[in-house]
Amino acid sequence: MGIKRAEIQQIGERVNGRLLKRYHQLEVLDRILNTINTVPDLDTVLNFTIDNIMSVVDCTCGAIMVGDKDSGVIYHRVYRGISAKNMDAIRIPLGEGLTGMVAKTGESILIKDVSKDPRALPLELGKIECFRGFVCAPIKRLDDSMGAIVVASDQADVFDSDDLSIVKSIGHCLATAIIKTVVEKKIVKGMARYQALLRYALGAQEDERKRVARELHDETSQALASLTFRLQAAIQMAESKGFGDARFIESLTRAHSCAVQAGNEIVKMMMDLRPTLLDDLGMPAAIYRYAKDALEANGINVSMEFVGGEHRPPAEVEVECFRVAQGLISNILRHSEARNVSIKIECNVSKTVLYIED
C-alpha cells in the first residue's frame, strides 16, 4: 500500500510540474504577444523575446535568426549564451544546415544530440559541435517563412514536445512582428518616394510659373506698356494738331483704355503666377498683400496675424501655403458674402499652420 502511495505521489508531482511549466510557458507567450502589440521597435521585441525564451526553456543558448527569400540567407539577429566570435557575420544559406532547412521548409525539428546529426553546419550557433540537445522552429506566417528560432543545450535529450510547442508558438507570433515592420518600412519608403515626387512636381510647376511670369514681364508687359505710351502720344498729337474727327479720337481713346486694362491684367496674372513678395519678404507678407488686393477691392476687410516670425518655413512650404491661400481667397470671392476676413499664420521649427476665416 505504501508503494502505491509513493507512486501516486510521484505521478502527482510530475503532473504538477508539467502543469506549472505549461502555465509558465503560457505566461511568457502572453508577455511576448503584449510586447509585439505595443512596442514598435523590432530589435526591442526580439531581445525581449529571446530573454523570455531563455527563461522558459532549460537551454544553454538561444538565437533568433532572420532573413528573407530575396537574400537567400538567414543570420543570427539576436542571441544569448553564444561566445563564438564574428556571430554577426555568419550567414546560413536557406535550405542548408538545420536552421537553414527549418527556415526554408517551415517545419520544426527536435534533436536529442545535434553533434551526431550530419545535416548540421559547423557555423550554426557559432560552434554547433559544442551542443547536444537542439530545438528549432520557423518564424512563419501561413506559407511565408522569415527565419527561425533555435535553442540548444550542452546536455543531450533535455527537450520535450512542450519545449518544441512553445518555441513554435513564439515563432508564429514573431512572424506578425516582422511582417508589421516590413510593411511599415515599405509604407515609410513609399511615403518618402511620394513626397520626393511631389516636391519634384511642385518644383517643376513653380519653375514653369516663374518662367511664364518672367516672359510676361520682360516681353508681353513691356510690349503693352510701349503700346499704351504710343496710343497716349497719338491721342495727344491728334488733339493738339486737329488730326481726325471726334470718332477717330474716341477710337484711339478706347484702344488706349483696352491697352491699359490688358496691362493691369498681365500684372495681376504675374502676381498670381509668382508674387515677387514671396521671394523678397516671405509667405506672410505675400499672402496679406494678395488678400488685400483681391478682397478689399470687393469691399471685404482683411486682418492679418503672424505668430513665429523668427521661424521662416522652407521654400516649398511657403509656396504651398501661398497656393492654398490663393484657392481659399478665390472661394471667398466666388461663394461667400463675407464682409470681413481674418488670416492667421503660425510657424515653428516643426510645422506651419494657416488659418483663413470669413
Side-chain angles (χ1 to χ4, degrees):
M1 193 71 176
I3 295 175
K4 289 184 178 179
R5 267 201 211 97
E7 290 176 349
I8 292 171
Q9 185 176 0
Q10 289 176 356
I11 292 171
E13 288 175 354
R14 286 199 299 269
V15 170
N16 286 336
R18 186 163 184 177
L19 287 174
L20 284 173
K21 179 179 179 181
R22 194 63 178 160
Y23 175 79
H24 188 201
Q25 289 176 340
L26 292 174
E27 191 178 39
V28 165
L29 186 61
D30 182 66
R31 287 202 300 266
I32 292 172
L33 278 170
N34 184 62
T35 302
I36 289 171
N37 291 328
T38 57
V39 177
D41 181 64
L42 181 60
D43 283 328
T44 302
V45 170
L46 295 180
N47 278 289
F48 179 85
T49 299
I50 194 63
D51 288 336
N52 277 269
I53 290 174
M54 297 290 289
S55 73
V56 76
V57 179
D58 185 17
C59 57
T60 304
C61 73
I64 297 175
M65 305 181 70
V66 297
D68 55 67
K69 293 178 181 178
D70 294 333
S71 65
V73 297
I74 58 173
Y75 62 95
H76 304 83
R77 179 75 173 258
V78 296
Y79 46 89
R80 300 289 187 271
I82 302 173
S83 59
K85 296 181 179 179
N86 302 320
M87 279 293 295
D88 296 334
I90 295 174
R91 296 293 183 268
I92 307 295
L94 287 174
E96 296 186 20
L98 297 172
T99 52
M101 180 180 65
V102 168
K104 183 175 181 179
T105 64
E107 299 294 331
S108 304
I109 55 174
L110 189 158
I111 301 174
K112 293 182 178 181
D113 189 347
V114 71
S115 66
K116 298 178 181 179
D117 197 309
R119 297 171 298 177
L121 294 177
L123 290 178
E124 294 185 87
L125 295 177
K127 294 181 179 179
I128 195 68
E129 66 271 12
C130 297
F131 302 104
R132 299 293 179 267
F134 186 90
V135 168
C136 188
I139 300 174
K140 178 183 176 183
R141 179 71 179 270
L142 299 178
D143 293 330
D144 190 10
S145 182
M146 291 151 272
I149 301 175
V150 56
V151 293
S153 173
D154 54 11
Q155 302 295 317
D157 199 16
V158 294
F159 300 126
D160 57 22
S161 59
D162 286 344
D163 296 316
L164 179 62
S165 177
I166 186 63
V167 175
K168 284 175 64 176
S169 298
I170 293 172
H172 289 304
C173 295
L174 279 184
T176 301
I178 293 174
I179 289 173
K180 183 173 70 172
T181 300
V182 171
V183 170
E184 287 174 351
K185 285 183 178 179
K186 288 182 178 179
I187 290 173
V188 170
K189 187 180 292 186
M191 286 299 297
R193 289 184 61 190
Y194 169 76
Q195 290 173 353
L197 289 171
L198 182 60
R199 283 194 297 269
Y200 175 80
L202 292 175
Q205 185 183 64
E206 286 304 312
D207 289 342
E208 183 64 13
R209 284 175 176 267
K210 286 181 181 179
R211 186 189 67 78
V212 173
R214 187 166 54 250
E215 288 185 0
L216 288 174
H217 178 271
D218 295 343
E219 298 177 13
T220 309
S221 180
Q222 297 296 332
L224 280 172
S226 177
L227 176 61
T228 301
F229 290 138
R230 288 178 180 275
L231 287 171
Q232 181 64 39
I235 293 170
Q236 291 175 351
M237 184 180 296
E239 288 177 341
S240 63
K241 296 190 176 182
F243 294 154
D245 54 17
R247 293 177 63 184
F248 174 73
I249 299 297
E250 184 181 354
S251 295
L252 284 177
T253 303
R254 282 201 299 268
H256 176 265
S257 297
C258 288
V260 171
Q261 184 179 356
N264 292 335
E265 291 295 327
I266 291 296
V267 171
K268 183 177 179 299
M269 191 181 299
M270 287 189 297
M271 286 292 294
D272 288 342
L273 285 169
R274 183 71 184 186
T276 55
L277 284 175
L278 191 60
D279 296 318
D280 298 337
L281 300 180
M283 174 257 300
I287 290 177
Y288 182 53
R289 175 63 180 274
Y290 182 84
K292 283 181 65 69
D293 291 345
L295 298 175
E296 290 190 351
N298 290 273
I300 302 174
N301 298 317
V302 178
S303 62
M304 176 81 175
E305 181 183 359
F306 179 39
V307 180
E310 66 276 13
H311 302 290
R312 181 162 182 175
E316 62 270 18
V317 174
E318 289 195 335
V319 170
E320 281 308 295
C321 284
F322 181 80
R323 297 304 175 205
V324 170
Q326 276 185 309
L328 293 174
I329 290 167
S330 177
N331 285 337
I332 291 172
L333 286 173
R334 287 200 302 265
H335 307 297
S336 172
E337 296 181 357
R339 298 270 65 87
N340 298 284
V341 170
S342 62
I343 302 172
K344 183 178 180 180
I345 300 173
E346 296 179 352
C347 292
N348 58 42
V349 293
S350 61
K351 65 180 180 179
T352 299
V353 183
L354 169 67
Y355 302 92
I356 297 183
E357 183 178 1
D358 62 13

